[in-house]
Amino acid sequence: MENIHQPTKEQIREWLANRRKSPAPLPDAKQIRRQLGWEQNDHACQQPIQQAA
């Protein structure tokens, strides 16, 4: 099973509030996930996807 950490709504709201203050364009989705700590653990990412029997 994948172990995915999802940020809380409060963390997302805080990130969005901070982003609104910055005139820079949005970073890519991977960077946003990294900033929010919304990543899969390394072990799950390295396992190949298994086909259903």
Side-chain angles (χ1 to χ4, degrees):
M1 280 242 144
E2 293 181 9
N3 184 11
I4 300 174
H5 165 77
Q6 288 187 302
T8 64
K9 290 180 182 179
E10 290 79 18
Q11 289 172 315
I12 294 172
R13 288 181 185 131
E14 181 180 348
W15 184 87
L16 286 170
N18 289 332
R19 278 298 307 159
R20 287 187 187 115
K21 296 175 188 174
S22 174
L26 285 175
D28 67 340
K30 287 182 182 180
Q31 180 64 27
I32 293 171
R33 288 186 194 106
R34 239 179 275 126
Q35 290 175 355
L36 290 170
W38 190 352
E39 298 180 30
Q40 296 178 347
N41 66 14
D42 292 337
H43 183 69
C45 291
Q46 294 174 355
Q47 292 180 343
I49 298 173
Q50 296 178 349
Q51 300 237 345

